[in-house]
Amino acid sequence: MIERIKSAMVGLGASWVLWLMLALSVISLAIMLERAWLFWSLRDDLPTLMRDLGRFLRGGDLEGARQRLEQSPSAEAAVVIAGIVEADLGPDAAEEAMAGASALQRIKLERRLAYLGTLGNNAPFIGLLGTVIGIVGAFEEFGKGESSVTLAAGATAGPSEAVMRNIAEALVATAVGLIVAIPAVFAFNTFQRIVKTT
């Protein structure tokens, strides 16, 4: 069984891991850009919005407050609108409506972030898989007796080109895993901080 697995690993090589990492990084970049655009589109001047809202509410103008909040693209405004709509049913109904709207906004803001977190945590391991495959390939080349070449003076040269190629492929897989993971973890942490603040 070990020989079958080893021959399959050596036969496939680590290049498929690199292609997988490339595909995962493209998806990760698309998610990062989409999330950045979403958070950018939800920006608003919240202190001004709060001042306007307070002015409308102190005057008892719920309709004016609702209209002012509808002009805001922010998640905060969507939550407060839900409370204002239910305000005539009492404070408990308004609070419950706002809690429901808050949960919906959180789901909207956190969409696809789990992918970034998972990729950030696992991309180094996928790269490590490529490294292991490359090292197994290098040892296979060593085992074939191609690890040294006899020179004219009787001295020997180092590992053959095939062995070096396998080791280089192995190291590239690790590097690519880290290159994919680091931006994914950074984006995940940044977006989670924005969600928490919101």
Side-chain angles (χ1 to χ4, degrees), residues 76-110:
E76 295 87 348
V79 171
V80 178
I81 287 172
I84 288 177
V85 167
E86 300 297 329
D88 58 334
L89 299 176
D92 289 340
E95 186 176 341
E96 189 174 320
M98 289 175 69
S102 179
L104 288 174
Q105 288 299 314
R106 184 176 202 91
I107 290 169
K108 175 183 173 182
L109 295 174
E110 289 181 339

Side-chain angles (χ1 to χ4, degrees), residues 7-159:
S7 64
M9 289 172 70
V10 171
L12 289 173
S15 61
W16 69 270
V17 173
L18 297 175
W19 285 108
L20 174 64
M21 295 300 289
L22 177 65
L24 293 174
S25 68
V26 168
I27 294 168
S28 174
L29 181 61
I31 290 172
M32 287 182 227
L33 292 173
E34 185 271 335
R35 292 286 92 188
W37 177 84
L38 173 75
F39 290 123
W40 181 265
S41 69
L42 295 177
R43 290 176 310 112
D44 197 5
D45 183 4
L46 293 181
T48 300
L49 181 65
M50 287 173 55
R51 271 196 308 275
D52 293 348
L53 179 62
R55 188 169 31 86
F56 281 116
L57 292 179
R58 280 190 297 278
D61 186 3
L62 290 179
E63 183 59 29
R66 187 181 63 76
Q67 289 176 358
R68 172 61 182 97
L69 289 168
E70 286 175 349
Q71 296 170 4
S72 172
S74 69
E76 295 87 348
V79 171
V80 178
I81 287 172
I84 288 177
V85 167
E86 300 297 329
D88 58 334
L89 299 176
D92 289 340
E95 186 176 341
E96 189 174 320
M98 289 175 69
S102 179
L104 288 174
Q105 288 299 314
R106 184 176 202 91
I107 290 169
K108 175 183 173 182
L109 295 174
E110 289 181 339
R111 187 173 293 134
R112 297 184 194 90
L113 292 187
Y115 174 85
L116 290 178
T118 302
L119 180 63
N121 287 327
N122 291 305
F125 295 118
I126 297 169
L128 184 60
L129 173 63
T131 299
V132 170
I133 292 170
I135 296 296
V136 168
F139 280 122
E140 186 71 18
E141 292 297 326
F142 273 129
K144 289 178 182 176
E146 297 176 3
S147 61
S148 63
V149 177
T150 304
L151 299 176
T156 57

